[in-house]
Amino acid sequence: MRYAKRGRLRFTSHRDISRAVERAVRRAGIPVAYSAGFSPHPKISYAGAAPTGVASEAEYLEIGVTTPCDPRQVKTDLDGSLPPGLDVLDVVEVGPGALADRLEVSEWEVRLPGADREHAEEAVQKFLAAGHVEVERLTKKGPRRFDAREAVLRLTVPEGTGRTAAQVPGQSCVILRMVVRHMTPAVRPDDVLTGLRLVADFAPPVPPEVTRLAQGPLDAGTGALADPLDLDRDTTRGGEAGPAGEHVAG
């Protein structure tokens, strides 16, 4: 399942989102499977979740079910049971291969109200020209230093505001677009902003507004992101439910 995290829901923690999804699954009457053991849990797994405070148009999860379901009906029922701001965009029946393995890169849009465009362009050029940009992030195990440059495949300052960021009347607004490879440790947009500050003293005057536009496999030939659910789509049946015995996941 692909879903979006929009508006005020971007400030919701991953734990709260998982609770909301579990409640919505029950309300929608989806025959979710449960794990075995003393304390059974619904078989719902998440892949590549965005950090708290970040909006997203491309979050993914899988739901194990006990009986075959129509993906279109699952989409309708689950979307109607989730709170506004958690919106189900696509549901398909699982095929071979692990979904998490397909989420190789993410495309991000970072909106920087009040930032100077020329300074941003200069910082981007210096960042891309650098072979190594070491940043530090506070983790649960303490401060950790790592290279923020290696994971960044593309970083641009496009014209206009982009398709998800609205211009504020009377206020300048710089938009950054970046494509970042999923690595360990994960390089997040705020790490790239830290790198821009280190290489060019570029620091936005207000906190950025970050949206994940897409995540999926990377086309080595074109450099574009592909839809990670394409491998699961059964075009011969128009997306209808599979034969008896097949289980649905999103």
Side-chain angles (χ1 to χ4, degrees), residues 153-173:
L153 303 180
R154 288 200 302 273
L155 178 60
T156 61
V157 187
E159 296 290 341
T161 61
R163 61 187 174 94
T164 63
Q167 185 73 283
V168 177
Q171 183 184 66
S172 63
C173 182

Side-chain angles (χ1 to χ4, degrees), residues 168-201:
V168 177
Q171 183 184 66
S172 63
C173 182
V174 172
I175 300 297
L176 300 181
R177 286 282 184 88
M178 61 185 76
V179 175
V180 182
R181 188 185 301 277
H182 296 179
M183 301 178 66
T184 303
V187 174
R188 307 184 307 204
D190 57 314
D191 298 320
V192 177
L193 291 176
T194 298
L196 294 177
R197 177 175 56 81
L198 293 174
V199 300
D201 197 28

